[in-house]
Structure formats: C-alpha cells, structure tokens
Amino acid sequence: MDQAKAGDVTPAGAGGVRAITDGKAARTAGPGPNGRTGSDSSGRSAASDSGAATGSGAASGSGGRPPNPGPLGTFTAADEERRRGVRRMKTIATGALLLMAVVFVLAKWAQHEGAGVWSGYVAAAAEAGMVGALADWFAVTALFRHPLGLPIPHTAIIPTKKDQLGHTLGEFVGENFLSADVVRSRLRTVGIAGRLGSWLAQPEHADRVTSELSTALRGTLAVLRDSDVQAVVGEAITRRADAQEIAPALGSMLERVVADQGHRRVVDLVCGRAAQWLEQHSDSVVEAVTGGAPGWTPRFIDRRVGDRVYRELLRFVTEMRDMPEHPARGAIDRFLTDFAADLRSDPQTRARVERLKSDVLGRSEVQDLISSAWNSVRSMIVAAAEDESSQLRLRARASLLSLGKRMASDGRLRGKVDGWIEDAAVYVVTTYRNEITSLITETVAGWDAGHTSKKIEAHIGRDLQFIRLNGTVVGSMAGLAIYALVNLVTR
C-alpha cells in the first residue's frame, strides 16, 4: 500500500495493516518480507513498532485518541513518495544482481559447450558483478536491519546503535559547531552589524520595527497587572528610601539654597501674602486679641491693645517685605544655615527626619499617589504607542533610522556591535553547550528505533541503492580486469 487513505493505516514497513472492526482498531498481521508473520525484516514484532502505523480513520472511527505517530512524526505524502522511489531503486538494483546471475549461468554454459574464449571473460565479469552486488546489498541492508533476519554481529546499525549515534552526533555538533572560535569566525564573516544597519536605514524597515515594538509594548503593559506593578514600585521606593538616609542630602541641598539666596523669594512671598492678609482682616486680628483679654479689663482698653498689636504686626510684616536687610530676614538666614548644619551632623535632628520620612512613606495617601502615578504613566504610554503620530513613536523611528545609518557608515560602531554580538553568542554556546548537545542526544534516544530506521531509509535509501548498482558495475569490471590479467600472465 503506497499511500495512507481515510479509514486505513499505512504501516512503516510491510508487516501488517490496521483494520477498523466494530468501532475498535484491530491488528491484522501479514507475512513479512522474510516469511515471518507479524514481523518486519529486522525480526521485531510489528505490534511493537510504535509510530509505525498512522491513520486518521482509526482515530476518528474508534472515538479515542489518535495513535502516537512517534517522535519523528507520521509518514507524510513526501515520505511515501520517497519510499516508492526507494522501492523502485531496490527493484532495479536487485534486477541488476539477477541479470549478473543469468549472464553468469549462460556464460558458464557457453564455456562448457566450447563457445570460445569470450565466454570465460563474460563469466568472470558476471561472477564478480554478483559478488559486488551481494556485498553492497549486505552493507546497505546492514545499516537498517539484519540481512535475511539473521542476527549477524554489527548489522542493523541504526536501530541498535541509535543512542550511540545520537551521543556521537551531539559531541560532533558541540566540538565543531558550538566552539567559541567557530562561532566568532562565522559571525565575523556574516557581519551582522553592517547588514542590520543597512536594513534599519531604510524608512520602511524602521517603520516596521517601530510598529512591532509598539505592539510588543502594548502587549506587555496589557499583560502586567496594575496591582503587581504598584506593589513592586511601592516596595522599590520604600526599600530605596529606607536604605538611604535623607537628612544629610537635605542639609547639603538646604545649605546650597541659602548660599545662593534661593530662599529669599520664599520669604518675599510669605511676607507679601501675610501683609495682604493683615490689611484685609484687621477686624479679625483685633477681635482675636480682645477675645483673649481678661474679663476684668475695660473693653476700650482691650480695643486699644488690639489696635496696637495689629499695627505693630502690620508694620513688622511690611518692613520685612520692603527691607531686604531687615534683621528678621537675617535671623531666618541664620536659622536655615544652622538647620542645614544640624541635618548634616546632628544625630538627634537626623533621627527625627528619618522618623518623619518613615511616617510619610507609610501613609496610605503616599501609596495611593504611587498607584495613580502608575495608572497615569501606563495610560500615557499605551496611548502614545497606539498613535502613529505620537512623539514616542516618531522619536523611536528617528532613533532607529539614525542608528541604522551610523551602523552602516561607522566602522568603529559596527566593530563594537559585532563584538557585543560575538561575545553574547560565545557566552551562550559555551555556557549552555552541554544543554544543547544533550537536547540532541536525548531527542535521538527518545525516537523509536524501528520508526527511525524506516524514516532515515526513506530519505537516503534511494541513494544507497545506487551504491548497489555501482557495486555491480564496478565488481564486474574489476572481475573482468583480474581475469584478463591472470590469463595474460599465465600464457
């Protein structure tokens, strides 16, 4: 059967078919190529060849899971075509062997009948051709199975040595493909930085990369949960603030502000607003003073005292506002200077600042501020990533174009980028070489031996049959040459 059909199962080797009977899959064994019922040419039971049979009809008809096709997958239509090609070449190679046998028999008969000297040459050539054909048939067959089903040592190499071949293949790949020198040499030859730069320098390519990066950014932000991000950001800020004492930094900053007279503008603002408030709320000040007076004092005296306090307050604030060299301003300068020094060197002041910092960070309002800040930032980034005319995407596109042009024209930059790529690739292959080679070894070890042998034979078997034909031709020519040389020497 050359190709699997719906409802049938095509086995990997001739040895049986799977039939569907009463909704259940039943195995019907047929005679193998060596006359063995239910076995393939390697002598293994056809029922034990996992993955040797495939068929969608069996899976759907039984209502169960589809049969495991094996690690190498099912035999595809292309594989079946290759197997038909292998069978055709086997027929041709076997036909050449039979032709040599027929020619040999006829030549021997002709020689016995006294047909002439030529019959001996033909018989020698045919005999050597048969020997060459049989030897190459044995060699080719021994790769995949035991010839004639006989357990001859060092035959059925692929099924029996599969794991060893996988280990050897893994070592070969590790030594010849995953070495630092090979990786560096290959990457240096490719010139990734130059090619990438030339590619990125094209506007359409920069647009494409920008679009892909925007999509990836939106997807990342969509996957992230706000609560997780807020918790991480809040923890990071709190941990960083707790780990670093802020009082000395505040003291140094305050000292620089006072030295640059940056606080004068704050004092001007406070004095101006205080004078304006006093001018607008004179009655409130007077009432506050009179209301705190003793009950036994006359009211007119309380009123005069209130007016006097108000005028003095207004005069003081007005003079402070209008006189840059007012003594109160000097007192403020000295206070801030002393406070800055205390922040930097006084243990008690620093301890009080640290307690205040912890209290502020622990308040729920601060955590809510962090949450709202993250939500605002996320919304802003998503909107910018979706808008093709946003500054984010325009700047990203311009940066990619600029980077591409620089990489294409600047040899030093290309050298740096190539060096980074080479170092990264070398690190990966040297650090994870064993894991990569073990992947090859373990994958090969997980393959079914019979299925693997049949799969490989389907791919390279046709070329191997040409070896049989070549052996037949070369053997006959060698036999003819040897026979002619012997006759020439013995005459």
Side-chain angles (χ1 to χ4, degrees):
M1 184 179 299
D2 291 339
Q3 190 170 1
K5 300 179 181 179
D8 298 331
V9 173
T10 303
V17 296
R18 189 180 297 272
I20 306 303
T21 306
D22 296 332
K24 298 181 179 179
R27 180 88 174 181
T28 305
N34 301 316
R36 299 186 178 196
T37 303
S39 299
D40 60 12
S41 57
S42 64
R44 296 191 313 110
S45 173
S48 67
D49 187 4
S50 63
T54 61
S56 60
S60 60
S62 61
R65 293 188 309 166
N68 182 11
L72 286 179
T74 60
F75 281 97
T76 63
D79 291 333
E80 292 297 337
E81 181 62 29
R82 294 189 188 98
R83 294 183 67 195
R84 285 194 292 269
V86 172
R87 285 195 291 268
R88 285 193 296 267
M89 287 307 304
K90 281 185 178 180
T91 302
I92 295 174
T94 304
L97 171 61
L98 296 177
L99 176 62
M100 289 294 106
V102 171
V103 171
F104 174 75
V105 171
L106 293 177
K108 280 295 186 180
W109 176 78
Q111 188 179 18
H112 182 268
E113 294 295 329
V117 179
W118 63 267
S119 59
Y121 286 90
V122 174
E127 183 178 11
M130 285 191 298
V131 173
L134 288 172
D136 287 340
W137 167 82
F138 183 89
V140 171
T141 304
L143 290 174
F144 305 102
R145 60 186 66 86
H146 296 296
L148 301 177
L150 301 176
I152 302 173
H154 306 292
T155 59
I157 294 174
I158 292 178
T160 58
K161 301 290 185 179
K162 172 180 64 66
D163 295 346
Q164 182 179 347
L165 290 174
H167 182 72
T168 303
L169 177 61
E171 290 184 345
F172 175 80
V173 171
E175 294 174 359
N176 296 278
F177 294 92
L178 301 181
S179 64
D181 294 337
V182 171
V183 172
R184 286 191 182 277
S185 177
R186 181 57 181 167
L187 291 177
R188 193 173 296 115
T189 302
V190 173
I192 295 178
R195 296 188 178 187
L196 179 61
S198 300
W199 190 82
L200 281 177
Q202 302 296 324
E204 60 273 15
H205 296 158
D207 291 338
R208 178 180 176 184
V209 174
T210 303
S211 177
E212 295 297 335
L213 290 176
S214 300
T215 302
L217 180 60
R218 294 197 305 270
T220 302
L221 293 177
V223 171
L224 293 176
R225 292 191 302 180
D226 292 342
S227 58
D228 294 338
V229 177
Q230 293 164 6
V232 171
V233 173
E235 181 183 359
I237 294 175
T238 304
R239 184 171 61 250
R240 181 66 181 271
D242 289 339
Q244 185 173 3
E245 188 179 2
I246 65 172
L250 289 176
S252 299
M253 181 180 67
L254 181 59
E255 187 177 22
R256 288 194 298 269
V257 170
V258 174
D260 296 337
Q261 296 184 353
H263 67 292
R264 292 289 181 92
R265 288 188 290 272
V266 178
V267 175
D268 293 339
L269 176 63
V270 172
C271 292
R273 293 300 300 270
Q276 182 181 3
W277 187 88
L278 287 173
E279 291 173 355
Q280 295 176 355
H281 300 85
S282 58
D283 294 338
S284 299
V285 176
V286 173
E287 290 177 1
V289 174
T290 57
W296 50 267
T297 58
R299 296 296 296 174
F300 73 93
I301 295 177
D302 294 340
R303 183 68 181 179
R304 289 177 65 86
V305 172
D307 291 338
R308 182 63 179 270
V309 170
Y310 168 73
R311 286 194 299 271
E312 290 298 325
L313 282 175
L314 182 60
R315 182 183 61 81
F316 176 79
V317 173
T318 304
E319 289 178 352
M320 231 186 124
R321 180 192 64 187
D322 299 335
M323 297 174 57
E325 302 301 327
H326 194 277
R329 285 179 176 265
I332 293 175
D333 293 346
R334 290 189 297 273
F335 168 77
L336 293 177
T337 301
D338 294 340
F339 184 57
D342 291 341
L343 286 174
R344 291 191 294 112
S345 59
D346 183 49
Q348 294 182 355
T349 303
R350 293 168 60 174
R352 287 195 294 270
V353 172
E354 287 301 309
R355 288 195 296 270
L356 177 62
K357 178 190 71 176
S358 299
D359 293 340
V360 171
L361 290 176
R363 295 184 66 86
S364 60
E365 293 83 355
V366 176
Q367 300 301 321
D368 293 339
L369 178 62
I370 295 175
S371 301
S372 62
W374 161 248
N375 291 331
S376 300
V377 170
R378 182 176 62 83
S379 300
M380 179 182 65
I381 294 176
V382 170
E386 293 177 348
D387 186 5
E388 295 183 357
S389 60
S390 66
Q391 286 296 318
L392 177 64
R393 293 189 61 163
L394 292 177
R395 289 180 180 272
R397 179 181 181 275
S399 299
L400 290 172
L401 285 172
S402 176
L403 177 62
K405 292 177 181 178
R406 286 189 58 196
M407 290 175 60
S409 59
D410 190 346
R412 293 182 57 186
L413 179 59
R414 287 200 304 272
K416 288 183 179 180
V417 175
D418 283 333
W420 296 335
I421 295 175
E422 291 172 13
D423 292 340
V426 168
Y427 173 80
V428 171
V429 299
T430 55
T431 305
Y432 301 101
R433 177 187 300 167
N434 293 334
E435 286 77 2
I436 297 173
T437 56
S438 64
L439 175 64
I440 298 175
T441 303
E442 294 172 1
T443 301
V444 174
W447 291 349
D448 176 74
H451 189 78
T452 302
S453 178
K454 294 177 177 66
K455 190 83 170 181
I456 295 176
E457 185 178 13
H459 281 262
I460 65 173
R462 190 170 184 273
D463 294 325
L464 294 178
Q465 299 307 314
F466 277 104
I467 294 178
R468 293 178 57 188
L469 286 175
N470 293 336
T472 304
V473 175
V474 173
S476 62
M477 294 177 63
L480 179 61
I482 293 172
Y483 184 81
L485 182 61
V486 169
N487 284 341
L488 180 62
V489 172
T490 55
R491 282 185 180 180

